Amino acid sequence: MTERGAPSLIDVAREAGVSTATAGRALGGYGKVSQRTRERVADAASRLGYRTNGLARSMITGSTQTLGVLVSDVSNPFFATALRGITDVTQQAGFEVLLSNTGGDADAERRALAVMSEKRVDGVIVAPALPSDGAHLARAIELSVPVVQLDRLASGVPSADSVTIDNEHAVAEAVGHLLELGHRRIGVITEADGDIARLRSGNRKRGLLPSAVRLRGYFSALTEAGIPVDESLVGVARYDRESAYDATTRLLELTEPPTAMLCTDNVLASGAYRAAQDKGLRMPDDLSLIGFDDEPWTTLVRPGLTIVEQPTYELGAQAGRQLLDRIERGPGRARHVQLKAKLVARDSTAPPG
Amino acid sequence: MTERGAPSLIDVAREAGVSTATAGRALGGYGKVSQRTRERVADAASRLGYRTNGLARSMITGSTQTLGVLVSDVSNPFFATALRGITDVTQQAGFEVLLSNTGGDADAERRALAVMSEKRVDGVIVAPALPSDGAHLARAIELSVPVVQLDRLASGVPSADSVTIDNEHAVAEAVGHLLELGHRRIGVITEADGDIARLRSGNRKRGLLPSAVRLRGYFSALTEAGIPVDESLVGVARYDRESAYDATTRLLELTEPPTAMLCTDNVLASGAYRAAQDKGLRMPDDLSLIGFDDEPWTTLVRPGLTIVEQPTYELGAQAGRQLLDRIERGPGRARHVQLKAKLVARDSTAPPG
DNA sequence: CTGAAAGCGCTTACAG
DNA sequence: CTGAAAGCGCTTACAG
């Protein structure tokens, strides 16, 4: 947008009768300028309708005051809320946010990261689409673009900061709640793909989607309670409502259906809730259900949904703070912040009927 | 992020044994280069780990391939979904999106617009926080930053394109639906502030928030049906669930309460729905309710909520297309696209009990 | 406090 | 097809 005849610092300097260096200092708030010339320059600038060219400035200062945010889908309430947390914190500090939707596609994420890097963002917050491969993130850090991971940890990026929730603990609490109520056949709806057997045996913290970490939490909570895991109670869905609906229906049609179910995510929970409704089940008598995330609908439905409440906004805000901090301090030992999620018991859970 | 020792085009050129002009042409995909040198330059670039400096490029080409988006709150599902529409269309065309939350504050919007303008965005999509004053938008257009208005029309910006829905028609349909069912005492929950009397008499299309336009639609639909407007049935709320809850409760406690209600927005609708539930009213027998926007919860609750369905994603996508188009074509007569909203009747509306 | 000059890293006419 | 030179609009040492 270098429009025809947009005034430059040269024009302002001439109008004010000073050098461009002085004009720049007066307008940019750096260096020393006398009160008088500052005013004279300001007047000249406003007379000419001068706007600083941020591109030129950034090229010299090495800072664009711009941050990149990479998520799979802003229209997902989880990311929308986290994003609000990010922007509130970073705008406050004078940074703008460049947003990219990856659609959960690792290649799209790589490309977007490259573009942001060419645009010289000062740092990046990313919810890695494919946590198992963080090579592109590691490369960004090498090029001295600070990276903060949000909601999930990629493997192969030892030096990237992160903000996540304690998923294992959160799920343990949820399963514990159901166990206390007396449930023994507890199902789970999850988008975790891949090899369940390996997931059960493994114990790495990185490289997994939250759904997978939560699924593992489910396995270990049951195991610790001495309840053998029944894989027919694991309903794997794609990441959408419809698929969760189908997976739930399948579980409910088992000859020995679960008396309670846990969903590893809010999108899946809404599909599951609907499926239970359509099946004609009364919650919590016929089925206890636990979802994730405290969205408005969870208290609007009857019964109100028992959920694992994530501090979603705070997750984003914290990621923003960490990135600002990292930009200020420069490279260093990675800091991993883990926020607590907590169970909010409502009316969709009760002892098995 | 001009990190120490990041290779520049000069380094690549030297490594490849060509001039920087040639290196630039080979890497940037402009001008003519022979196959052989193109390869040689590409090799040199990858050997050095070269990344184009987009800042320098933009300064010369006059284009940043970046668009600004200004909304009040990304965590509002309406804006989140519209934003997804915007980014899908514009990323596809090679543009990135700079996002700013104004919190509905006109000053914040002005500041954010100024910053984006300094960062030399190629254009801007904005849902004006204060439609009654579009002076800053007009100024942006003068500086040749194309502006597309989303969801609402500011006054004083004759040359800005826009994408909105036909609110008057949408509301007329909703009210018509209730009238057909036999309702005569129809309330409304709205965030429209200001002077209701003036709103009723006026007929300008610009300068109003969607809520206000919808409220006016409600007035005229009733008037056309020969039903006198009862201002005690107009529940004015701030823009949040709690306030909508209170406003709804107030209407329901009238000695002659409405038999049906319309909410001018999804946030307000969720507050109203809850209020009706808490009041112990059975919908639709005791009260018919209509909301806005087809959000997941509206089909999860019982009864399912009758709504005015906006093409939210498409609203954003269309705004994106229009902005791209405007950037390509340059200034010209403003184009105003109006999308249709449609009534989706579900179970929250029925004849008065 | 102020200015002349150099330079950030590219692309663009202009020649060849 | 390729190169030398100018220039985009700023900020930054370096002198004064």
Side-chain angles (χ1 to χ4, degrees):
Chain A
M1 284 292 80
T2 308
E3 52 281 347
R4 243 103 297 296
S8 75
L9 202 51
I10 299 183
D11 301 311
V12 175
R14 188 180 306 137
E15 174 85 6
V18 297
S19 70
T20 59
T22 297
R25 286 189 271 250
L27 259 24
Y30 54 88
K32 305 282 177 200
V33 203
S34 77
Q35 183 63 26
R36 268 194 71 233
T37 59
R38 184 189 310 285
E39 282 166 12
R40 206 159 3 136
V41 172
D43 286 353
S46 84
R47 222 170 322 162
L48 264 40
Y50 171 77
R51 286 179 306 160
T52 300
N53 184 321
L55 262 21
R57 170 178 290 174
S58 290
M59 202 151 67
I60 296 175
T61 62
S63 154
T64 54
Q65 297 293 103
T66 303
L67 270 22
V69 173
L70 298 149
V71 297
S72 62
D73 179 14
V74 249
S75 71
N76 180 325
F78 174 77
F79 289 120
T81 301
L83 179 57
R84 184 72 211 262
I86 294 173
T87 56
D88 280 357
V89 164
T90 57
Q91 282 193 322
Q92 172 87 344
F95 286 79
E96 294 289 314
V97 161
L98 211 48
L99 173 71
S100 202
N101 283 112
T102 64
D105 177 43
D107 272 325
E109 182 176 300
R110 268 187 282 273
R111 281 194 304 272
L113 187 61
V115 170
M116 287 181 174
S117 168
E118 292 190 352
K119 290 194 194 304
R120 298 307 195 252
V121 294
D122 294 333
V124 149
I125 294 174
V126 55
L130 188 68
S132 59
D133 178 12
H136 57 306
L137 302 180
R139 210 177 314 130
I141 294 177
E142 260 170 48
L143 295 172
S144 86
V145 178
V147 172
V148 172
Q149 302 173 85
L150 178 75
D151 183 49
R152 43 193 93 171
L153 288 171
S155 48
V157 207
S159 48
D161 299 322
S162 73
V163 185
T164 52
I165 67 157
D166 187 345
N167 283 304
E168 320 234 24
H169 176 77
V171 170
E173 227 187 310
V175 173
H177 173 63
L178 295 173
L179 289 172
E180 263 174 46
L181 289 171
H183 293 278
R184 288 302 173 267
R185 285 191 70 70
I186 300 174
V188 62
I189 301 295
T190 177
E191 64 151 337
D193 50 349
D195 194 333
I196 290 185
R198 198 170 47 190
L199 189 65
R200 287 178 61 181
S201 63
N203 65 346
R204 65 211 153 99
K205 306 219 71 154
R206 292 157 193 266
L208 297 177
L209 288 173
S211 267
V213 179
R214 290 169 195 167
L215 179 56
R216 199 171 54 196
Y218 158 89
F219 288 139
S220 42
L222 288 183
T223 304
E224 271 178 35
I227 298 180
V229 169
D230 179 351
E231 286 196 12
S232 71
L233 294 182
V234 177
V236 175
R238 285 190 318 278
Y239 192 59
D240 60 65
R241 252 177 272 290
E242 293 66 34
S243 181
Y245 182 99
D246 295 342
T248 305
T249 304
R250 244 176 285 128
L251 289 205
L252 295 176
E253 284 173 352
L254 290 174
T255 47
E256 225 179 321
T259 61
M261 292 180 56
L262 170 68
C263 304
T264 61
D265 174 275
N266 77 75
V267 171
L268 304 177
S270 65
Y273 196 96
R274 167 91 39 101
Q277 275 182 159
D278 287 1
K279 216 67 206 119
L281 297 183
R282 286 166 315 145
M283 293 181 270
D285 307 308
D286 301 335
L287 177 73
S288 282
L289 189 64
I290 299 186
F292 246 86
D293 297 334
D294 195 16
E295 284 184 47
W297 72 265
T298 59
T299 59
L300 242 28
V301 291
R302 290 291 135 90
L305 188 66
T306 292
I307 51 147
V308 175
E309 181 187 42
Q310 298 196 66
T312 311
Y313 176 92
E314 188 54 29
L315 210 61
Q318 186 60 242
R321 276 183 225 112
Q322 242 179 296
L323 183 52
L324 294 177
D325 204 66
R326 175 61 70 198
I327 289 170
E328 198 170 324
R329 292 177 134 91
R333 202 162 168 292
R335 279 178 43 205
H336 300 284
V337 173
Q338 217 174 35
L339 303 181
K340 282 259 169 290
K342 71 162 189 279
L343 186 78
V344 178
R346 294 205 272 249
D347 303 323
S348 67
T349 44
Chain B
M1 283 294 84
T2 308
E3 51 283 347
R4 252 89 309 286
S8 75
L9 202 50
I10 299 183
D11 302 311
V12 176
R14 188 180 307 138
E15 174 85 6
V18 297
S19 70
T20 59
T22 297
R25 284 189 272 252
L27 258 24
Y30 54 89
K32 306 279 177 202
V33 203
S34 77
Q35 183 62 27
R36 265 195 71 235
T37 59
R38 185 189 310 285
E39 281 165 13
R40 204 158 6 133
V41 173
D43 285 353
S46 84
R47 220 170 323 160
L48 265 40
Y50 172 76
R51 286 179 306 161
T52 301
N53 185 321
L55 262 21
R57 170 178 289 173
S58 289
M59 202 153 66
I60 296 176
T61 63
S63 154
T64 53
Q65 297 293 103
T66 303
L67 270 22
V69 173
L70 299 149
V71 297
S72 62
D73 179 14
V74 250
S75 71
N76 181 325
F78 173 78
F79 288 120
T81 302
L83 178 56
R84 184 72 211 261
I86 293 173
T87 55
D88 280 358
V89 165
T90 57
Q91 281 193 321
Q92 172 88 343
F95 286 79
E96 293 288 313
V97 162
L98 211 47
L99 172 71
S100 202
N101 283 111
T102 65
D105 176 43
D107 272 326
E109 181 176 301
R110 269 187 281 274
R111 281 194 303 271
L113 187 60
V115 170
M116 287 181 173
S117 169
E118 293 190 351
K119 290 194 195 302
R120 296 310 195 251
V121 293
D122 294 334
V124 148
I125 294 175
V126 54
L130 189 69
S132 58
D133 179 12
H136 56 307
L137 302 179
R139 208 174 317 128
I141 295 177
E142 260 170 47
L143 295 173
S144 88
V145 179
V147 173
V148 172
Q149 301 173 87
L150 178 74
D151 183 50
R152 44 193 92 169
L153 288 169
S155 48
V157 207
S159 47
D161 300 322
S162 74
V163 185
T164 52
I165 68 157
D166 187 345
N167 283 305
E168 321 233 22
H169 176 78
V171 171
E173 229 188 308
V175 173
H177 173 63
L178 294 173
L179 289 172
E180 264 174 45
L181 289 171
H183 292 279
R184 288 302 173 267
R185 285 190 70 70
I186 300 174
V188 62
I189 301 295
T190 176
E191 64 150 337
D193 51 348
D195 194 332
I196 290 184
R198 198 170 47 191
L199 189 65
R200 288 179 59 182
S201 63
N203 64 347
R204 65 214 154 95
K205 306 218 70 151
R206 293 160 192 265
L208 297 177
L209 288 173
S211 266
V213 179
R214 290 169 194 166
L215 179 57
R216 198 169 56 198
Y218 158 88
F219 288 140
S220 42
L222 287 182
T223 304
E224 270 177 36
I227 296 181
V229 169
D230 179 350
E231 287 197 11
S232 71
L233 295 182
V234 177
V236 176
R238 287 191 315 279
Y239 191 58
D240 60 65
R241 251 177 274 288
E242 294 66 34
S243 182
Y245 181 99
D246 294 341
T248 305
T249 304
R250 245 177 282 128
L251 289 204
L252 295 176
E253 285 174 352
L254 290 173
T255 47
E256 226 178 322
T259 62
M261 293 180 55
L262 170 69
C263 303
T264 61
D265 173 274
N266 76 74
V267 171
L268 304 178
S270 65
Y273 196 96
R274 165 92 39 103
Q277 275 182 158
D278 286 0
K279 211 86 199 103
L281 296 183
R282 285 166 316 144
M283 293 182 270
D285 307 307
D286 301 334
L287 177 73
S288 282
L289 189 63
I290 300 186
F292 247 84
D293 297 336
D294 195 17
E295 284 184 47
W297 72 266
T298 59
T299 60
L300 242 27
V301 292
R302 289 293 135 89
L305 188 66
T306 293
I307 51 147
V308 176
E309 181 188 41
Q310 299 195 67
T312 310
Y313 177 92
E314 188 54 29
L315 210 62
Q318 187 59 243
R321 278 185 224 108
Q322 243 179 293
L323 183 53
L324 293 177
D325 204 65
R326 175 61 70 197
I327 288 170
E328 199 169 324
R329 291 178 135 93
R333 202 163 166 291
R335 281 177 44 205
H336 300 285
V337 172
Q338 217 173 36
L339 302 181
K340 282 260 169 289
K342 71 161 189 279
L343 186 79
V344 178
R346 295 204 272 247
D347 303 323
S348 68
T349 46

